[in-house]
Amino acid sequence: MTVSTADPGTTTGSALLGDSGSLHRVVEDLAGGVRTIQPVRDALADRELASALSSWNSAPGDPDLFVASLFPEPAQVSHVPFLPKERLLSPREKSAAAEAFARVLESCEFTSGSAVTAFEDAVADLSGMNCAVATGSGTDALVLALRAVGVEPGDEVILPANSFAATENAVFACGAVPVLADVTTPDGNLDPVSVAEHVTPRTVAVLPVHLYGKLADMAGLRAVADRYALRIVEDACQAIGVTGVGRYSDAAALSFNPYKNVGLCGKAGAVVTDSAEIAERCRVAGYHGFEPGRKNVKCEAFGLNARIDNTMAAIGLALLPWTGLRGLRRTYLARRYVEALRPLAEEGVLETPAFAPDHSWHLFPVLVDGGAPARDALRDELALRSRVETDVYYPVLTHRQQTPVRERFFGQARLPRTEWLHDRVLHLPLHAGLSLGEQDRVVEALHAATRPGR
Ligand SMILES: Cc1ncc(COP(=O)(O)O)c(C=O)c1O
């Protein structure tokens, strides 16, 4: 038996076992059938993962069986849904959330209460950042962070066009102007060169999105931001736990909505930052401009009602211990997809993402050769012949949404690489509860649909 020599304390920015860099190493160790790294400290987010890995380390065996044992999996696979809502939480997580809610019910501390600070401390810890301000949603976190770094009405903010609407809506909510820059292929993340081309005297900030959980080129974006004295707010709503989030920016926004890698029982988010000043501005603007610690006494002209409820924070505290374990499941499944689809990638039928350590595997995109007609035909074939549900997660790019402001804000947008990717991308099922059997069925369906007769 080989023992991995990886030292998580020296090779990642944070000492968490469950950050994406560490998880990728753990998954490689599991796949190799060897003992893996030990937890380096007792972090809430690592708790379930640490206990699972101690049982693996005492008797490594078949990694598929081990990973399958970590989450309840459906016995029969008659079809594969893209994201079955009733399986967003495991039975153990549901019990933990119910117990937490029962305690809140008892106290009736629904909106503010002690769970908020405790949740914020745990989120700061898992992000490896000094401060976290928990919010009512990831969208609220984006708005607060943009305002806190100084984005004001009329300012320009540079962002990509292939994200969830919240990204551009947060800019609109500040009264600012969204300016779309192109992305790099194949990851679909903001291209620093294109960002530099879109800077004007009115540009104040860059808003990169870690698309599908893959970290954008933050060092490249930081260099552009430094050249033009811009602020950076990361849309890390899909990238919880990704090594490097927060390292090159002023602040990052996280989402804990139920469909995210760590999903609660309703909407929630957080701003994470190393700046106590930015965190304070988010706190004040997030609750009516009130002075912290003083009831109904304002210190700012304006504020929102955008703080997390104590109820959701209490549920968040109860669910955070599964963060690392959920990340492990996703990362293991992503590696398994990459390996199983390698023959199709080598034939040029489709392109899979690189199994990169700066990835949370929120979604698993493949790029289908032949563009939109081939992609859509493949999607239909998978659904009809194999009952495998896939998705094109964001069906309309920002500059193609038919809204009253389209021409005014996005009429000049030229985004050839964004559009090229958009025509080819297909999302395969990937969630913490996806069973290995379901994944096998997706892979078989893809082989059958793309290599008929073999
Ligand atoms: C990239 C991205 N940005 C922002 C958001 C907004 O997060 P929330 O739904 O928590 O408001 C989401 C999630 O839906 C997202 O995926």
Side-chain angles (χ1 to χ4, degrees):
M1 180 194 299
T2 327
V3 178
S4 170
T5 52
D7 176 356
T10 57
T11 52
T12 69
S14 113
L16 265 195
L17 172 63
D19 77 352
S20 69
S22 304
L23 284 176
H24 280 69
R25 284 197 304 278
V26 171
V27 161
E28 294 291 7
D29 287 345
L30 292 182
V34 301
R35 288 181 61 202
T36 190
I37 53 177
Q38 295 287 343
V40 290
R41 66 191 168 92
D42 182 27
L44 188 66
D46 282 349
R47 206 152 281 171
E48 292 292 326
L49 177 60
S51 99
L53 288 181
S54 77
S55 77
W56 165 265
N57 281 339
S58 62
D62 180 334
D64 276 5
L65 290 180
F66 171 71
V67 172
S69 75
L70 298 180
F71 231 71
E73 300 197 342
Q76 296 295 321
V77 181
S78 57
H79 73 291
V80 184
F82 185 73
L83 187 55
K85 284 188 186 162
E86 68 285 0
R87 283 158 59 194
L88 284 174
L89 295 176
S90 69
R92 284 183 66 211
E93 288 171 312
K94 286 177 186 172
S95 305
E99 282 166 25
F101 183 54
R103 284 193 295 273
V104 175
L105 267 182
E106 209 50 53
S107 70
C108 289
E109 286 193 327
F110 299 120
T111 53
S112 54
S114 59
V116 172
T117 314
F119 181 67
E120 291 181 333
D121 289 348
V123 170
D125 186 52
L126 86 86
S127 310
M129 308 293 291
N130 289 340
C131 316
V133 179
T135 57
S137 68
T139 310
D140 286 341
L142 284 170
V143 176
L144 293 177
L146 286 170
R147 288 177 55 94
V149 302
V151 172
E152 293 190 350
D155 291 344
E156 291 179 2
V157 177
I158 301 177
L159 68 159
N162 53 358
S163 181
F164 183 57
T167 315
E168 86 228 26
N169 285 344
V171 178
F172 282 130
C174 297
V177 178
V179 173
L180 302 176
D182 212 351
V183 298
T184 47
T185 56
D187 64 1
N189 276 328
L190 209 48
D191 175 12
V193 175
S194 181
V195 169
E197 288 166 0
H198 286 81
V199 173
T200 76
R202 291 204 300 159
T203 310
V204 168
V206 185
L207 179 53
V209 178
H210 304 309
L211 194 67
Y212 315 143
K214 169 76 176 81
L215 194 76
D217 175 3
M218 290 308 297
L221 291 169
R222 185 74 258 168
V224 174
D226 287 347
R227 197 179 322 147
Y228 298 103
L230 307 177
R231 312 306 293 267
I232 301 182
V233 170
E234 294 168 77
D235 182 336
C237 286
Q238 303 183 348
I240 191 157
V242 169
T243 315
V245 165
R247 199 175 291 167
Y248 295 92
S249 70
D250 297 285
L254 308 178
S255 170
F256 294 97
N257 86 33
Y259 303 101
K260 291 294 185 278
N261 288 27
V262 182
L264 309 187
C265 303
K267 294 180 185 183
V271 178
V272 290
T273 176
D274 276 336
S275 160
E277 198 184 325
I278 289 174
E280 186 74 352
R281 281 197 215 123
C282 289
R283 272 199 185 95
V284 171
Y287 196 46
H288 294 295
F290 290 146
E291 201 176 318
R294 297 193 68 191
K295 191 173 164 232
N296 292 346
V297 177
K298 285 179 77 170
C299 61
E300 279 298 335
F302 169 76
L304 298 166
N305 188 5
R307 295 283 271 134
I308 196 171
D309 282 334
N310 191 56
T311 308
M312 205 50 67
I315 291 174
L317 275 173
L319 293 178
L320 278 183
W322 278 272
T323 303
L325 188 101
R326 289 180 151 268
L328 180 81
R329 287 269 312 189
R330 283 180 183 271
T331 309
Y332 189 83
L333 288 161
R335 185 184 185 279
R336 221 166 161 266
Y337 264 142
V338 172
E339 293 297 316
L341 297 176
R342 197 182 299 285
L344 301 186
E346 282 167 359
E347 285 172 28
V349 177
L350 49 80
E351 188 174 346
T352 54
F355 185 64
D358 52 358
H359 209 315
S360 70
W361 301 104
H362 177 59
L363 291 172
F364 192 88
V366 294
L367 298 176
V368 181
D369 187 43
R375 186 264 318 271
D376 295 344
L378 175 60
R379 195 175 169 202
D380 291 346
E381 171 88 357
L382 292 170
L384 292 173
R385 182 139 60 118
S386 307
R387 303 190 66 208
V388 165
E389 197 187 338
T390 54
D391 201 5
V392 177
Y393 214 66
Y394 302 126
V396 185
L397 293 169
T398 298
H399 61 303
R400 289 177 173 163
Q401 298 276 7
Q402 298 299 316
T403 71
V405 299
R406 188 179 92 96
E407 196 46 44
R408 181 170 152 220
F409 285 102
F410 308 124
Q412 303 299 313
R414 298 287 172 270
L415 307 167
R417 289 188 299 275
T418 305
E419 291 169 9
W420 186 91
L421 285 168
H422 185 69
D423 286 345
R424 283 159 183 76
V425 74
L426 183 69
H427 295 103
L428 306 184
L430 178 63
H431 52 94
L434 182 78
S435 75
L436 275 63
E438 286 176 305
Q439 185 180 43
D440 289 341
R441 187 171 169 130
V442 177
V443 169
E444 280 159 25
L446 276 164
H447 278 268
T450 54
R451 310 156 102 198
R454 291 211 198 174

